[in-house]
Amino acid sequence: MASEDIAKLAETLAKTQVAGGQLSFKGKSLKLNTAEDRCHWSDMFTGRLRTEIPPALISLGEGLITAGAQLVELDLSDNAFGPDGVQGFEALLKSSACFTLHELKLNNCGMGIGGGKILAAALTECHRKSSAQGKPLALKVFVAGRNRLENDGATALAEAFRVIGTLEEVHMPQNGINHPGVTALAQAFAVNPLLRVINLNDNTFTEKGAVAMAETLKTLRQVEVINFGDCLVRSKGAVAIADAIRGGLPKLKELNLSFCEIKRDAALAVAEAMADKTELEKLDLNGNTLGEEGCEQLQEVLEGFNMAKVLASLSDDEDEEEEEEGEEEEEEAEEEEEEEEEEEEEEEEEEEEEPQQGGQGEKSATPSRKILDPNTGEPAPVLSSPPPADVSTFLAFPSPEKLLRLGPKSSMLIAQQTDTSDPEKVVSAFLKVSSVFKDEAAVRTAVQDAVDALMKKAFSSSSFNSSAFLTRLLAHMGLLKSEDKVKAIANLYGPLMALNHMVQQDYFPKALAPLLLAFITKPNSALESCSFARHSLLQTLYKV
């Protein structure tokens, strides 16, 4: 869109008087190429360069502000604008046009941690300004799923939620949030007593996050829908949530704890907590490890309450005995990893808080030089004397921290460890490395370096079957059907970002680009949750 067209559109909006009605561009099927065209703000920037989006949003916002609009709902979902796009409508959120905002929908926008922080600050400022005029912002519905907010973005938004206090629905699925972010959100939810719907599907609670959320649920009385499916609540977390439900939540209509690694006894505790939930319509415990006997017992418990019909299908339940082998070791490894991360964070905080001046008679200590993240301008994470890691441990239980602990030779070590003559083993290593991709500079660089070393070694071998590698990779990503049973990975964000880097390198066979482009362009539900990464890869492939 030319800058003059944006200016004309802003001028047109400025002449539009909005009072007590609804301004909608939805369903117009317009391209927004001229000042005369308009489009619903959801999914309006498909095919646009990221650099075009912020000025367009700024101009549209200015038009609404000048027109004296009083927005009730703002929907910018399915626009892959990233953190820069959030800056584009930041001024609008802070303006009087949003003092009346009840619903904010930003699903699948690729905001990232930076965008989450900008959004949180804008909402807080909007509340401050509107409160000064005697009519505080009373946001009711907040939707921001599939945005890679992670812990820092979620924690920043939690602070804004604590200030607002009027939320009724919060939808934040698939954001890579772990227990610190979940705990921050739980504390914020506790001061939003009108909450009816809490959807945090496909984040990672573990026991710590689940217990924190359970404590909050004990204080809420209006909750109707809880979606913690695919959140790794596990048995101890499920029992804590069951205890909270047993003592409250009289209006509960739906509880989703599917695919949470919950065992039989814990699942039965959840079912027993439903005894007095007269409004319950659905209980989803599918995909856990109850076993055949456990499933039967679960049904019997609910039948005793005349609630058999509320139980969702248990078709994906896994046998308890099959899952027990190695599960405890995996849980212990994850718990140790979490403890190590917390210790590192505490050490970093202590180092930052150490006094610059020594004791009596000592010279002033020289301030330590902080390395800044080039994207955010904030101090980059520092690893303070972390425990050693090895390649086998990283490949068995991949995490950003383990990758960084491998040190500057991590890329070489991973390439050496992998049999690059076997496309399947290369695919496995590629997916494990890319799964830990984060937008933090140190982690992003480590992942890209590891991918470069691995794939350069593979593609440079005359015996390596490049086509077989790509087809196997597409199968594991759920983008291509395979004759053998292949379990598709759950999150494609990291692999897509790693592919976006790989296809730009000299070692990548350009002959593979058309095949990759065909499958990334093809509609697929697995790609819908990663529109930002998909859009970035498509832009790169068009240039290859």
Side-chain angles (χ1 to χ4, degrees):
M1 185 192 302
S3 58
E4 58 268 22
D5 288 334
I6 296 175
K8 289 178 181 178
L9 178 57
E11 182 181 354
T12 303
L13 281 172
K15 294 177 181 178
T16 304
Q17 298 300 316
V18 183
Q22 179 184 23
L23 175 63
S24 175
F25 304 146
K26 187 174 183 179
K28 301 296 184 181
S29 300
L30 302 176
K31 297 294 184 181
L32 201 61
N33 286 322
T34 68
E36 289 73 27
D37 290 337
R38 295 181 184 185
C39 177
H40 188 255
W41 288 22
S42 172
D43 194 21
M44 70 184 288
F45 291 116
T46 301
R48 298 293 181 185
L49 296 175
R50 283 184 62 188
T51 53
E52 293 182 291
I53 299 174
L57 286 172
I58 290 170
S59 294
L60 289 168
E62 288 174 349
L64 290 174
I65 295 169
T66 305
Q70 292 185 329
L71 298 181
V72 174
E73 177 182 355
L74 178 59
D75 187 352
L76 283 162
S77 297
D78 300 313
N79 287 304
F81 47 54
D84 294 341
V86 183
Q87 292 179 324
F89 63 89
E90 180 183 9
L92 173 63
L93 278 181
K94 293 179 179 179
S95 74
S96 58
C98 287
F99 288 179
T100 53
L101 197 64
H102 286 172
E103 298 185 17
L104 178 59
K105 299 176 181 178
L106 299 166
N107 201 53
N108 199 24
C109 293
M111 290 190 290
I113 295 172
K117 290 181 176 180
I118 296 169
L119 175 61
L123 288 172
T124 302
E125 181 68 4
C126 181
H127 186 273
R128 185 190 68 79
K129 287 183 175 180
S130 58
S131 297
Q133 294 191 9
K135 295 182 178 180
L137 171 68
L139 190 66
K140 296 180 180 179
V141 177
F142 180 82
V143 180
R146 301 174 179 176
N147 272 292
R148 300 298 301 174
L149 295 170
E150 300 184 17
N151 288 333
D152 289 347
T155 300
L157 285 166
E159 289 299 316
F161 295 164
R162 290 171 68 93
V163 171
I164 294 169
T166 56
L167 289 169
E168 296 180 12
E169 295 185 25
V170 175
H171 302 263
M172 296 174 67
Q174 294 185 359
N175 270 297
I177 306 171
N178 298 327
H179 74 84
V182 172
T183 299
L185 288 171
Q187 294 168 348
F189 293 165
V191 292
N192 282 266
L194 301 178
L195 266 176
R196 294 183 297 103
V197 178
I198 303 175
N199 178 5
L200 294 177
N201 186 282
D202 200 6
N203 289 291
T204 307
F205 281 39
T206 65
E207 180 187 346
K208 293 180 180 179
V211 169
M213 193 62 69
E215 288 300 310
T216 286
L217 292 177
K218 292 177 182 178
T219 69
L220 300 174
R221 305 292 295 174
Q222 305 301 319
V223 174
E224 298 176 3
V225 177
I226 298 173
N227 187 345
F228 296 159
D230 205 11
C231 282
L232 206 63
V233 166
R234 293 204 173 113
S235 295
K236 292 180 180 178
V239 170
I241 291 172
D243 289 341
I245 293 173
R246 187 179 292 108
L249 304 185
K251 298 182 179 181
L252 187 64
K253 293 181 179 179
E254 181 177 334
L255 174 63
N256 185 345
L257 292 175
S258 60
F259 298 93
C260 281
E261 294 191 5
I262 300 171
K263 297 181 182 177
R264 178 179 58 181
D265 291 346
L268 293 176
V270 172
E272 290 166 358
M274 303 296 124
D276 61 345
K277 302 299 177 279
T278 56
E279 296 186 31
L280 190 68
E281 297 174 359
K282 183 177 182 181
L283 173 62
D284 193 345
L285 288 166
N286 194 24
N288 289 299
T289 54
L290 282 64
E292 184 177 351
E293 184 179 349
C295 291
E296 292 175 356
Q297 291 175 335
L298 184 66
Q299 292 169 333
E300 289 174 3
V301 169
L302 291 171
E303 284 174 0
F305 304 147
N306 293 319
M307 291 183 176
K309 65 180 181 180
V310 306
L311 183 62
S313 169
L314 296 173
S315 58
D316 292 319
D317 183 79
E318 299 193 20
D319 187 74
E320 201 169 13
E321 293 179 0
E322 291 178 1
E323 288 295 312
E324 283 179 358
E325 184 177 353
E327 185 178 288
E328 292 182 3
E329 292 180 5
E330 184 178 342
E331 289 184 16
E332 288 175 4
E334 290 179 0
E335 288 173 2
E336 287 176 5
E337 182 183 322
E338 289 177 358
E339 289 174 2
E340 288 169 5
E341 290 174 15
E342 290 174 358
E343 287 173 5
E344 288 166 12
E345 290 173 3
E346 289 173 1
E347 288 174 4
E348 289 171 21
E349 290 174 2
E350 288 174 3
E351 286 180 0
E352 292 175 3
E353 293 174 2
E354 279 182 3
Q356 297 284 326
Q357 190 168 347
Q360 188 175 359
E362 295 179 356
K363 294 181 180 179
S364 298
T366 303
S368 61
R369 184 178 179 185
K370 295 180 179 178
I371 301 174
L372 300 182
D373 187 310
N375 293 322
T376 65
E378 297 179 353
V382 179
L383 294 177
S384 307
S385 302
D390 58 70
V391 178
S392 298
T393 302
F394 167 73
L395 292 176
F397 302 104
S399 75
E401 293 72 27
K402 288 194 183 79
L403 179 60
L404 294 177
R405 284 181 211 145
L406 290 174
K409 295 183 179 180
S410 60
S411 57
M412 179 187 69
L413 294 171
I414 291 170
Q416 289 177 344
Q417 185 87 359
T418 307
D419 178 6
T420 51
S421 65
D422 186 342
E424 184 67 27
K425 291 180 179 177
V426 175
V427 167
S428 176
F430 175 88
L431 290 175
K432 287 178 178 179
V433 170
S434 62
S435 70
V436 307
F437 183 94
K438 295 178 70 174
D439 291 321
E440 295 174 7
V443 178
R444 180 174 62 247
T445 300
V447 169
Q448 291 174 347
D449 288 348
V451 167
D452 286 341
L454 174 69
M455 299 314 305
K456 186 175 183 180
K457 179 184 175 185
F459 286 133
S460 62
S461 172
S462 58
S463 61
F464 184 68
N465 190 330
S466 300
S467 297
F469 162 77
L470 185 56
T471 54
R472 295 303 295 168
L473 178 62
L474 291 170
H476 281 278
M477 292 175 68
L479 306 180
L480 175 66
K481 289 185 179 180
S482 176
E483 293 181 359
D484 53 337
K485 291 186 177 180
V486 174
K487 185 177 181 181
I489 59 176
N491 194 327
L492 296 184
Y493 181 79
L496 289 172
M497 296 301 286
L499 280 170
N500 186 35
H501 169 78
M502 183 180 75
V503 299
Q504 299 178 61
Q505 309 310 310
D506 292 338
Y507 61 74
F508 177 72
K510 299 301 184 283
L512 297 180
L515 177 62
L516 182 57
L517 177 63
F519 280 92
I520 300 300
T521 306
K522 187 178 178 181
N524 190 298
S525 58
L527 292 169
E528 291 176 3
S529 62
C530 305
S531 64
F532 172 72
R534 179 191 193 185
H535 182 68
S536 299
L537 177 56
L538 284 174
Q539 283 189 314
T540 301
L541 287 170
Y542 282 128
K543 298 175 184 176
V544 173

